[in-house]
């Protein structure tokens, strides 16, 4: 005897494997969960959910690793102490103008503001012509040094005649102050880029 079932449309008894109800003509469709496409869709959804969870876990792990790496990373050089930190130990005023033979002369008034004797000072200048263009020829000077002692709290004046006759103005930096006790502010061996980035700059007055 064949297995019987009820028509999903009219409720009449029909063969379980009947595709059409002989009473009402209604088509007999399998429940959704018995159809192949339902399980295919369900499996695909499950794979997507599992993949999403796995990806989220990986991203969280990477973020935690990145945070840990950042915490353990050494401080960058930008936060490292500079040789030009702190008080350089002098104040200075400067002026530049032509001397009696019409060559540019740079005069610097220097005051020792410390309680120690200064043995030497290194200055760095960047020369410009009257148009404000930097001079870089063979006569353009950059390094200036004074090795006259300056006692604590006293002042002195030093003058330099510059060889580049077209020098009209300069940027003036101090990058090393060497004390008689052997200590030093700054770095006597500093490069140009280090000086321009961190050394102490003084104003220069242009004298006609």
């Amino acid at each position: 005897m064949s297995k019987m079932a009820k028509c999903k449309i009219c409720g009449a008894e029909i063969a379980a494997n009947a595709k059409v109800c002989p009473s009402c003509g209604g088509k007999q469709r399998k429940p959704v969960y018995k159809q192949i496409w339902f399980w295919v869709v369900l499996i695909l959804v499950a794979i997507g959910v599992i993949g999403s969870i796995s990806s989220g876990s990986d991203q969280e792990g990477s973020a935690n690793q990145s945070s840990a790496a950042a915490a353990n990373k050494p401080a960058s050089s930008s936060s490292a102490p500079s040789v030009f930190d702190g008080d350089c130990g002098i104040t200075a005023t400067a002026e530049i103008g032509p001397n009696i033979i019409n060559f540019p002369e740079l005069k610097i008034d220097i005051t020792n503001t410390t309680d120690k004797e200064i043995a030497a000072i290194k200055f760095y200048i960047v020369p410009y012509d009257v148009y404000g263009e930097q001079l870089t020829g063979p006569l353009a000077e950059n390094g200036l040094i004074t090795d006259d002692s300056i006692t604590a709290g006293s002042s002195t004046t030093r003058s330099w005649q510059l060889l580049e006759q077209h020098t009209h103005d300069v940027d003036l930096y101090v990058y090393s102050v060497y004390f008689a006790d052997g200590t030093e502010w700054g770095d006597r061996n500093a490069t140009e880029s280090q000086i321009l980035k961190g050394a102490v700059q003084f104003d220069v007055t242009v004298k006609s």
Side-chain angles (χ1 to χ4, degrees):
M1 181 177 180
S2 61
K3 190 175 181 181
M4 302 299 289
K6 288 188 176 183
C7 172
K8 296 179 174 58
I9 307 298
C10 67
E13 280 198 355
I14 59 174
N17 59 356
K19 294 183 179 180
V20 178
C21 175
S23 298
C24 67
K27 291 184 177 181
Q28 305 301 301
R29 296 177 179 174
K30 294 180 180 179
V32 171
Y33 64 85
K34 290 187 177 182
Q35 298 188 38
I36 295 176
W37 66 264
F38 172 79
W39 291 104
V40 171
V41 171
L42 187 64
I43 291 170
L44 291 176
V45 170
I47 291 173
V49 170
I50 293 171
S52 176
I53 293 173
S54 175
S55 175
S57 298
D58 290 344
Q59 290 179 359
E60 183 178 355
S62 298
N64 291 337
Q65 289 177 359
S66 298
S67 299
N72 294 327
K73 186 177 180 180
S76 64
S77 57
S78 61
S79 61
S82 167
V83 293
F84 301 119
D85 287 345
D87 185 0
C88 66
I90 67 168
T91 59
T93 57
E95 66 175 20
I96 187 170
N99 60 13
I100 57 174
I101 59 174
N102 209 33
F103 267 80
E105 184 177 62
L106 176 65
K107 182 187 295 184
I108 307 177
D109 296 323
I110 307 164
T111 299
N112 180 351
T113 59
T114 73
D115 58 0
K116 300 188 292 184
E117 180 181 343
I118 293 175
I121 302 171
K122 280 190 171 184
F123 293 100
Y124 189 88
I125 63 171
V126 181
Y128 300 92
D129 64 17
V130 70
Y131 293 101
E133 297 179 353
Q134 184 177 343
L135 297 167
T136 57
L139 298 180
E141 297 173 84
N142 296 116
L144 304 176
I145 183 171
T146 170
D147 55 4
D148 296 334
S149 297
I150 308 174
T151 56
S154 64
S155 301
T156 188
T157 299
R158 286 294 310 271
S159 297
W160 289 267
Q161 178 181 296
L162 306 181
L163 298 179
E164 174 53 77
Q165 192 171 4
H166 297 293
T167 302
H168 175 73
D169 193 7
V170 297
D171 288 338
L172 174 65
Y173 301 85
V174 59
Y175 67 98
S176 174
V177 179
Y178 184 66
F179 296 95
D181 64 2
T183 59
E184 179 185 20
W185 173 90
D187 180 3
R188 73 194 76 177
N189 298 314
T191 63
E192 179 184 47
S193 61
Q194 290 173 324
I195 294 169
L196 298 182
K197 182 179 179 180
V200 175
Q201 184 175 6
F202 295 112
D203 293 331
V204 178
T205 301
V206 177
K207 183 177 66 173
S208 302

